[in-house]
Amino acid sequence: MTTAPEVTCELTVRTDDGADLAVTVLAPLAGTVPAGDVVLVHGWAHARRVWGTVADRLIRAGHRVVLYDQRGHGASTLGRTAVSVERLGADLAAVLGETGAREAVVVGHSGGGFAALSYASTSPSAGRLRGLVLLGTAAHGQDTPDSEVKMMGSAVFSWALRRGWLGGRLLGSTMGKGVDPVVLDVNRQLFAGTVPRVRADFFRCTRGWDVREALASVTIPAVVVHGEGDKVIAVELARTLAGVLPRARFESVAGAGHMLPLERPLLVVAAVGELASR
């Protein structure tokens, strides 16, 4: 359990390669029973805004919540080194250290899950975590083709994302059926607000990345959650991830797509509660 002050604040975490990571720390609501720290790590082409509903429910449940913009996203800068999954794991380590959240439940969505897995498999301090909630993510198999990387960095794609109806159509396959139009548009806005070069660099960086062997010795309790309709990361890859982690539970979500923090926020909160209560 963290001993850091339970105060709400905004801060900047400077990494060892000069990136400034924009961080929000939310105190649990007054009168709630302390339930431990939770650190939320968003996916690529998103930002900490994506966790709005999740974060609100967590502080109401007594959690101290840390959420940050990954480098190059939102209000965070890129730093001097090239983007890599290992670099993103080191960024997470820096945030955990600076916020006093080393014994947190870490929730990683998509690329945020890659960062969490990198940290868990390489950092000596990872054993202090209370658990991992891994949403729409994988430990290997993310060899983004040149055509998709090129599209992510395209000015034409960016132009289209800024047009409500057109941008929504372009990203429609990332979410499940029957999603609230407001939620669909939040997803579009987040993609549109990400610099094209950042989108391309991040989607490119997982080529050849495979952390399965290293994860076999990671004994942190984990919940792996995946939408049955996820067209971004195949559900088979998530099942493999859960099979590799020695203490993982796998849960598939009928009707859900890839954007679980937006599509199923209460399910995310429930998974955190499962791990925090152990």
Side-chain angles (χ1 to χ4, degrees):
M1 195 76 68
T2 181
T3 58
E6 293 186 344
V7 296
T8 294
C9 62
E10 302 285 333
L11 63 144
T12 300
V13 172
R14 173 68 61 87
T15 68
D16 57 10
D17 74 326
D20 289 329
L21 304 179
V23 181
T24 299
V25 179
L26 301 174
L29 289 192
T32 57
V33 177
D37 290 349
V38 181
V39 177
L40 305 174
V41 192
H42 68 78
W44 300 337
H46 272 186
R48 56 193 152 153
R49 175 191 172 194
V50 75
W51 299 110
T53 301
V54 172
D56 177 71
R57 294 304 179 98
L58 288 173
I59 64 173
R60 291 174 183 273
H63 294 284
R64 175 176 175 262
V65 177
V66 176
L67 52 163
Y68 68 100
D69 291 336
Q70 292 215 61
R71 61 173 54 214
H73 293 73
S76 295
T77 63
L78 270 173
R80 293 185 296 270
T81 57
V83 173
S84 68
V85 180
E86 293 75 18
R87 177 67 259 178
L88 302 178
D91 290 351
L92 172 57
V95 171
L96 291 168
E98 290 296 320
T99 59
R102 294 181 181 88
E103 298 176 25
V105 173
V106 171
V107 183
H109 170 239
S110 192
F114 302 156
L117 291 171
S118 177
Y119 171 75
S121 62
T122 60
S123 175
S125 62
R128 297 172 61 179
L129 293 179
R130 298 179 72 186
L132 294 169
V133 177
L134 302 164
L135 309 168
T137 195
H140 78 295
Q142 294 309 291
D143 298 319
T144 309
D146 286 337
S147 58
E148 186 174 344
V149 171
K150 184 177 180 179
M151 180 186 73
M152 287 296 167
S154 165
V156 175
F157 182 59
S158 296
W159 175 90
L161 287 174
R162 293 192 294 271
R163 273 67 192 171
W165 176 83
L166 180 56
R169 284 290 301 272
L170 287 171
L171 297 176
S173 64
T174 65
M175 305 185 85
K177 303 294 184 182
V179 177
D180 188 319
V182 173
V183 173
L184 289 169
D185 201 54
V186 169
N187 185 42
R188 180 195 64 79
Q189 290 173 24
L190 290 167
F191 260 81
T194 306
V195 176
R197 171 196 165 194
V198 169
R199 288 196 304 256
D201 287 349
F202 273 69
F203 276 81
R204 183 188 295 113
C205 80
T206 50
R207 289 175 174 171
W209 180 69
D210 187 340
V211 75
R212 287 175 292 177
E213 182 176 350
L215 290 178
S217 60
V218 172
T219 58
I220 304 164
V223 179
V224 178
V225 185
H226 213 83
E228 290 183 358
D230 192 330
K231 297 179 181 178
V232 178
I233 295 179
V235 66
E236 291 78 11
L237 295 178
R239 291 185 188 277
T240 297
L241 168 60
V244 167
L245 286 166
R247 298 178 64 190
R249 177 179 72 81
F250 177 75
E251 180 175 349
S252 61
V253 187
H258 183 64
M259 302 302 179
L260 291 172
L262 293 171
E263 297 180 64
R264 299 290 193 274
L266 300 187
L267 189 152
V268 178
V269 174
V272 170
E274 175 185 335
L275 295 174
S277 64
R278 291 192 178 189

